[in-house]
Amino acid sequence: VQLVESGGGLVQPGGSLRLSCVASGIIFSVENMGWYRQVPGKERELLAMMDIGGGTNYTDSAKGRFTASRDNAKNTAYLQMNSLKPEDSATYYCNADIRHYAYSLHSYTHWGRGTLVTVSS
């Protein structure tokens, strides 16, 4: 299974970006999907967690400016980021809890390699 994030880049303060995360490989179902970010020297920070029904919980860092969503048919998660600030600069990661087969008793957590977001004028 691979998770691949995309959509990062350089954006000016106040701008917007939409990140995507696509899961591919042997997948029966994708359960929870989450968005995180990490700055060098700091711990990875949770931003939003979505369940398979689309219910979403946000941490304080994401509330109000970030919107997470998913398309289960495409095994894809999105993170819409608005009103970006320089302190939002980080590498953004997604993870997903994946059941690989219909008979699987457990799901396994997979991570992408991240996409870099730089907010600067």
Side-chain angles (χ1 to χ4, degrees), residues 7-19 37 65-66 79-90 92 115-121:
L10 174 64
V11 62
Q12 291 188 340
S16 298
L17 282 176
R18 188 191 194 208
L19 307 183
R37 67 184 179 188
R65 297 186 297 123
F66 295 178
L79 185 67
Q80 177 68 42
M81 305 188 295
N82 299 325
S83 302
L84 284 163
K85 306 173 182 179
E87 51 264 42
D88 294 318
S89 297
Y92 284 71
T115 184
L116 180 64
V117 171
T118 303
V119 184
S120 175
S121 55

Side-chain angles (χ1 to χ4, degrees), residues 2 5 16 20 33-34 50 54 59 63 75 82 92 97 100:
Q2 272 193 317
E5 301 95 338
S16 298
S20 299
M33 298 186 81
M50 299 176 284
T59 62
K63 283 180 183 176
N75 291 331
N82 299 325
Y92 284 71
D97 297 330
H100 295 282

Side-chain angles (χ1 to χ4, degrees), residues 101-121:
Y101 302 97
Y103 54 77
S104 299
L105 296 179
H106 304 287
S107 60
Y108 295 88
T109 300
H110 298 268
W111 287 88
R113 294 188 175 183
T115 184
L116 180 64
V117 171
T118 303
V119 184
S120 175
S121 55

Side-chain angles (χ1 to χ4, degrees), residues 39-94:
V39 175
K42 294 191 175 181
E43 291 189 357
R44 193 167 294 186
E45 173 190 24
L46 173 66
L47 298 171
M49 184 63 66
M50 299 176 284
D51 62 33
I52 194 169
T56 305
N57 289 307
Y58 296 94
T59 62
D60 289 343
S61 295
K63 283 180 183 176
R65 297 186 297 123
F66 295 178
T67 302
S69 61
R70 62 189 287 174
D71 184 334
N72 291 337
K74 296 180 179 179
N75 291 331
T76 301
Y78 304 96
L79 185 67
Q80 177 68 42
M81 305 188 295
N82 299 325
S83 302
L84 284 163
K85 306 173 182 179
E87 51 264 42
D88 294 318
S89 297
T91 299
Y92 284 71
Y93 298 89
C94 69

